[in-house]
Amino acid sequence: MGNLRESSPYAAEDAAGFVESMRRLKELSGMTYRELEEQAGRNGDVLARSTLADVLRRDRLPRPDVLAAFVRACGDGQRVGDWLDARERIAEGGAGRGGGTSRTPSPAPSASASPPAPREDHEEVSAVGQDREAGSARTPRRRRQILLALAAVALLLVAGAGVRAWQSGDEDTRGDTPVARGEQRASVDGWVTIRPAGRTGLCLTDGRDRHGAYGSAVAVHLPCAGAPVPRTYLEPAGGGLYRVQWHHPELGKGCLTVMDTGPVKGMLEPRDDCAGATLFRLEPAPSGAPGAYRFRTVPGARCVGTADDSVAEGVEAVQEPCADSPDQSFVVRPD
């Protein structure tokens, strides 16, 4: 461990400088993200390593509770007040980050569904509703009426779902054939790989834009054999829509979201806030290629393609107008 006093929060003039001071403090602590998370737990704090990695990757001020837990975990607990004071000074001065969008962790737990965790730290959150109508005086007849009404609604919902599934012409295919279409949940839910139809040796995965304009990960085409992480999970979001989750062994879960501003506008970035992530509708590719699907972003008439309409290695995925183009055709396989 280095001298923690070498990192001063008061040296920063803006949010970017403040986060740089935090990075310096982490380096001086000599601890990994996992070790900081564990130390925070021993301190009675909550500091998920995925959240911390996201904070240190951005040029935005962290939440006060995250900052305090981080400073204590680094072993600089005597100066927590100094770090919080410096943060408040910058926040009140209106200092912010530069251009571009960011994956900002949600203060509250996300309501998005999570798959069966292939790695550690998977948590299940269950909610139990309670009826607290104290003093109500329902008669047996009234209760029977309510139960009958609920049963009728349930039957209508089941019937409607059946009609939609029948109309969509879903397939239930396995093995090396695509597994995504419409509402067929049994063949869609689970771990998958997403591959450009013209180059199935490539996978849509974690990479960087070729011009180095953005410091964080974006979706690119890379050889599947050389890209073991993150794993991809296709999460049904209802109404025939899906979220594309990436699960990283160190950074945790992120959901692909189309960037609407910044130097890589239109590219796809994994963000912690899955509830606000981009939704996709999978539809057969108009090219008619066997097993090819198109990822249409919702809302809007745009689809996932590539930056230069190519399916070459290293090209970035982008949102673009839907067209009968090879770069917009993907094969989805179970992983």
Side-chain angles (χ1 to χ4, degrees), residues 176-256:
D176 288 336
T177 56
V179 297
R181 180 177 290 181
E183 292 281 331
Q184 187 69 26
R185 292 289 186 84
S187 63
V188 170
D189 297 3
W191 301 98
V192 300
T193 59
I194 301 175
R195 307 166 183 243
R199 295 282 301 277
T200 53
L202 301 178
C203 284
L204 192 67
T205 187
D206 187 335
R208 294 293 188 273
D209 72 282
R210 289 170 290 175
H211 301 292
Y214 196 60
S216 296
V218 295
V220 302
H221 289 160
L222 293 175
C224 300
V229 293
R231 294 188 70 194
T232 301
Y233 189 89
L234 202 58
E235 175 204 344
L241 305 180
Y242 298 87
R243 295 184 186 90
V244 179
Q245 297 181 5
W246 277 0
H247 288 252
H248 196 284
E250 294 182 0
L251 303 181
K253 181 180 73 175
C255 291
L256 289 189

Side-chain angles (χ1 to χ4, degrees), residues 3-26:
N3 184 358
L4 300 180
R5 295 280 176 171
E6 293 180 13
S7 178
S8 171
Y10 291 111
E13 297 295 333
D14 55 17
F18 189 84
V19 175
E20 181 59 34
S21 297
M22 292 178 63
R23 296 190 192 105
R24 177 61 177 159
L25 182 62
K26 177 182 178 296

Side-chain angles (χ1 to χ4, degrees), residues 47-304:
L47 183 66
R49 58 183 179 272
S50 59
T51 298
L52 178 57
D54 191 61
V55 166
L56 297 183
R57 198 166 53 233
R58 304 295 179 184
D59 292 335
R60 298 186 61 172
L61 292 174
R63 300 197 315 266
D65 60 314
V66 172
L67 174 61
F70 167 72
V71 173
R72 281 191 288 266
C74 287
D76 201 18
Q78 293 181 344
R79 292 199 300 164
V80 169
D82 293 341
W83 282 90
L84 292 174
D85 179 68
R87 178 201 177 280
E88 184 178 0
R89 175 180 56 82
I90 293 175
E92 291 178 350
R97 70 184 293 274
T101 59
S102 64
R103 182 172 77 179
T104 305
S106 287
S110 170
S112 61
S114 293
R119 302 177 178 90
E120 61 184 5
D121 301 330
H122 176 70
E123 298 179 355
E124 278 189 22
V125 180
S126 63
V128 179
Q130 295 183 347
D131 185 359
R132 299 187 180 279
E133 296 184 82
S136 64
R138 294 176 178 169
T139 64
R141 170 181 288 183
R142 178 60 175 166
R143 289 174 179 166
R144 285 196 299 273
Q145 290 174 340
I146 293 174
L147 290 174
L148 288 173
L150 290 174
V153 171
L155 287 173
L156 288 173
L157 291 174
V158 171
V163 170
R164 287 194 301 273
W166 174 76
Q167 289 176 338
S168 66
D170 296 335
E171 298 176 358
D172 185 7
T173 53
R174 301 287 179 175
D176 288 336
T177 56
V179 297
R181 180 177 290 181
E183 292 281 331
Q184 187 69 26
R185 292 289 186 84
S187 63
V188 170
D189 297 3
W191 301 98
V192 300
T193 59
I194 301 175
R195 307 166 183 243
R199 295 282 301 277
T200 53
L202 301 178
C203 284
L204 192 67
T205 187
D206 187 335
R208 294 293 188 273
D209 72 282
R210 289 170 290 175
H211 301 292
Y214 196 60
S216 296
V218 295
V220 302
H221 289 160
L222 293 175
C224 300
V229 293
R231 294 188 70 194
T232 301
Y233 189 89
L234 202 58
E235 175 204 344
L241 305 180
Y242 298 87
R243 295 184 186 90
V244 179
Q245 297 181 5
W246 277 0
H247 288 252
H248 196 284
E250 294 182 0
L251 303 181
K253 181 180 73 175
C255 291
L256 289 189
T257 304
V258 175
M259 308 271 283
D260 54 8
T261 59
V264 289
K265 180 179 179 181
M267 295 186 188
L268 283 70
E269 175 190 35
R271 294 186 176 177
D272 287 342
D273 181 16
C274 285
T278 299
L279 295 175
F280 301 92
R281 184 181 301 280
L282 273 64
E283 57 189 29
S287 62
Y293 292 87
R294 187 164 66 177
F295 282 70
R296 181 185 293 270
T297 57
V298 178
R302 292 181 171 268
C303 293
V304 176

